[in-house]
């Protein structure tokens, strides 16, 4: 079974600084995708970034970037120039094909609560 | 384009009562799923569907029932509510493998 570990339950960062959230996963699959989702206090789940496992190039979305190390099964999220609006719970997620090779199977980590301090 | 719509936003049930959480999407997504979110455990998959008429169990299916008669709707039924089902429930949809999940705004359910 796949597992996703986020070893930092809580983190804080000063406004305009950079912070890195860690994520490791365990799988024997070769074809999979990785995601980071953000959940602000509004409870809404918002996609931050997506990474295809077969691509070595790290995904970036504006101030958000990942460090994807496939051999180490590591997928950390870097937030540059942190803003107060980045305060949220961040979930790392792993996706592979579902049973019988159709659909999809998502596994989420337990989350890291990030506070951006003024 | 409303995306994924979940109702209700909040619900309080007594132990033993039944209810249905509604989920509808207007993006013509084949894949739909239900998750529950509990503190320190992330989101766990309850049931999912890869198309109308096809459903399957996820990681924590006990006490829940689903059906998918149309592409748009994927209701989740609690047959006999228990305090252990107190949680936040999310419905999500996507186009399929490799695509991100689009989430509804969640339902906070309390069972007393």
């Amino acid at each position: 079974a796949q597992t996703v570990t986020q070893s930092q339950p809580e983190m804080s960062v000063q406004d305009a600084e950079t912070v890195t959230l860690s994520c490791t996963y365990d799988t024997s699959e070769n074809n999979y995708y990785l995601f980071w989702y953000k959940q602000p206090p509004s409870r809404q789940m918002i996609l931050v970034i997506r990474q295809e496992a077969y691509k070595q190039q790290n995904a970036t979305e504006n101030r958000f970037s990942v460090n994807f190390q496939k051999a180490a099964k590591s997928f950390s999220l870097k937030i540059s120039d942190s803003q107060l609006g980045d305060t949220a719970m961040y979930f790392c997620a792993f996706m592979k094909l579902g049973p019988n090779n159709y659909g999809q199977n998502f596994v989420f980590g337990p989350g890291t609560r990030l506070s951006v301090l003024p | 384009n409303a995306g994924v719509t979940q109702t209700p936003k909040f619900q309080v049930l007594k132990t033993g009562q039944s209810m249905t959480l509604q989920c509808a999407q207007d993006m013509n997504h084949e894949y739909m799923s239900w998750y529950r979110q509990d503190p320190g455990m992330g989101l766990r998959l309850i049931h999912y569907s890869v198309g109308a008429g096809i459903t399957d169990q996820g990681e924590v299916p006990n006490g829940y029932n689903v059906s998918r008669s149309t592409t748009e709707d994927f209701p989740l039924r609690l047959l006999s509510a228990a305090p252990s089902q107190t949680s936040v429930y999310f419905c999500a949809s996507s186009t399929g493998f490799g695509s991100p999940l689009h989430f509804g705004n969640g339902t906070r359910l309390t069972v007393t």
Side-chain angles (χ1 to χ4, degrees), chain A residues 31-116:
Chain A
N31 186 15
Y32 56 88
Y33 293 79
L34 295 159
F35 300 83
W36 280 96
Y37 280 88
K38 164 185 174 180
Q39 186 180 44
S42 65
R43 198 170 72 196
Q44 189 180 3
M45 291 288 287
I46 302 165
L47 175 69
V48 175
I49 205 161
R50 168 182 174 272
Q51 174 78 43
E52 297 144 332
Y54 60 85
K55 283 192 178 176
Q56 286 289 29
Q57 186 175 5
N58 290 322
T60 63
E61 283 289 342
N62 302 314
R63 297 182 295 107
F64 298 88
S65 62
V66 297
N67 183 3
F68 173 47
Q69 301 289 330
K70 190 172 183 179
K73 296 179 184 171
S74 168
F75 183 60
S76 59
L77 175 70
K78 185 171 87 170
I79 306 174
S80 304
D81 185 26
S82 296
Q83 301 173 0
L84 295 179
D86 295 332
T87 291
M89 195 77 165
Y90 286 81
F91 292 99
C92 179
F94 167 95
M95 183 232 274
K96 69 176 185 77
L97 273 171
N100 302 316
N101 284 332
Y102 66 82
Q104 54 185 215
N105 186 349
F106 261 91
V107 178
F108 286 84
T112 294
R113 186 174 302 280
L114 177 68
S115 299
V116 180

Side-chain angles (χ1 to χ4, degrees), chain B residues 65-106:
Chain B
N65 214 345
V66 293
S67 59
R68 182 105 179 263
S69 55
T70 67
T71 300
E72 295 78 19
D73 300 301
F74 190 47
L76 178 72
R77 297 181 188 84
L78 279 70
L79 309 171
S80 176
S84 61
Q85 294 179 304
T86 292
S87 189
V88 177
Y89 291 84
F90 285 96
C91 178
S93 72
S94 84
T95 55
F97 182 62
S99 299
L101 291 172
H102 297 257
F103 284 88
N105 287 335

